[in-house]
Amino acid sequence: MIKQNIIDELIRNQQIALNSGNPPFAALIEYKNEIIASISNNSRISGNPLHHAELLAIQSVIQNHGSEVLINSHLYSTNEPCPMCIGACIWSGIPIVTYFIDQKDVFNIRGWGKFMPARDISLADDSGIKIHGPILNKEMLRYHEIFWEKDNNSTKKHSIHIKN
């Protein structure tokens, strides 16, 4: 059972992303039952397409706690991690990733964004990383409906990080 504070924190970060004009992706990292990193995607305001929430959370942990804690951490994400993000989890040594929204659900809203599923990538790797999800959360999905239907965001495809 996922603790309510984790769900609430992810949703809070989705709202932060949405309020700042970024896609509503959020991630957090838990270590010894404590949230040690919690962040939202900021690719649009930064102009950096690599600023996915999962990567930013990993960077935050490394900067504030050291990379060694990642091997005993659990990453939670609002969305199924893309290949870049699940790769970062693997290379960081994170043993467990849990996500809520299936990439297919976001695809159905915005009409693009198919990628190799995180579980398939994890099975092709010998790291032993465990992937849990999707665990549908309608509130998290609603933030995607709001963002991708607003300001023609769904037409921008992979250039969503480029400021209007």
Side-chain angles (χ1 to χ4, degrees), residues 2-63:
I2 297 170
K3 295 177 275 186
Q4 189 61 44
N5 71 313
I6 288 174
I7 294 168
D8 293 344
E9 183 69 10
L10 288 168
I11 291 170
R12 184 183 73 79
N13 275 311
Q14 278 190 293
Q15 184 66 56
I16 290 169
L18 199 63
N19 289 346
S20 62
N22 284 299
F25 298 94
L28 64 80
I29 296 176
E30 183 183 51
Y31 174 71
K32 294 185 177 180
N33 294 314
E34 180 184 344
I35 296 172
I36 60 171
S38 178
I39 200 153
S40 60
N41 175 305
N42 74 5
S43 61
R44 183 176 274 173
I45 60 170
S46 70
N48 188 333
L50 303 180
H51 281 192
H52 289 202
E54 296 92 338
L55 293 181
L56 294 172
I58 291 167
Q59 282 183 305
S60 175
V61 168
I62 292 168
Q63 290 171 350

Side-chain angles (χ1 to χ4, degrees), residues 77-133:
S77 180
T78 54
N79 293 71
E80 180 174 1
C82 73
M84 175 179 69
C85 291
I86 200 63
C89 291
I90 290 168
W91 281 101
S92 298
I94 294 171
I96 305 169
V97 173
T98 299
Y99 69 93
F100 291 85
I101 301 171
D102 191 302
Q103 65 163 309
K104 294 172 191 155
D105 293 326
V106 176
F107 176 86
N108 289 337
I109 293 168
R110 66 185 181 189
W112 63 272
K114 291 182 182 179
F115 52 80
M116 182 179 286
R119 186 167 282 106
D120 290 355
I121 294 170
S122 72
L123 292 173
D125 183 77
D126 64 357
S127 67
I129 190 171
K130 303 290 183 228
I131 310 293
H132 301 289

Side-chain angles (χ1 to χ4, degrees), residues 58 61-73 92-94:
I58 291 167
V61 168
I62 292 168
Q63 290 171 350
N64 296 307
H65 303 280
S67 61
E68 62 278 357
V69 303
L70 290 169
I71 63 171
N72 293 305
S73 295
S92 298
I94 294 171

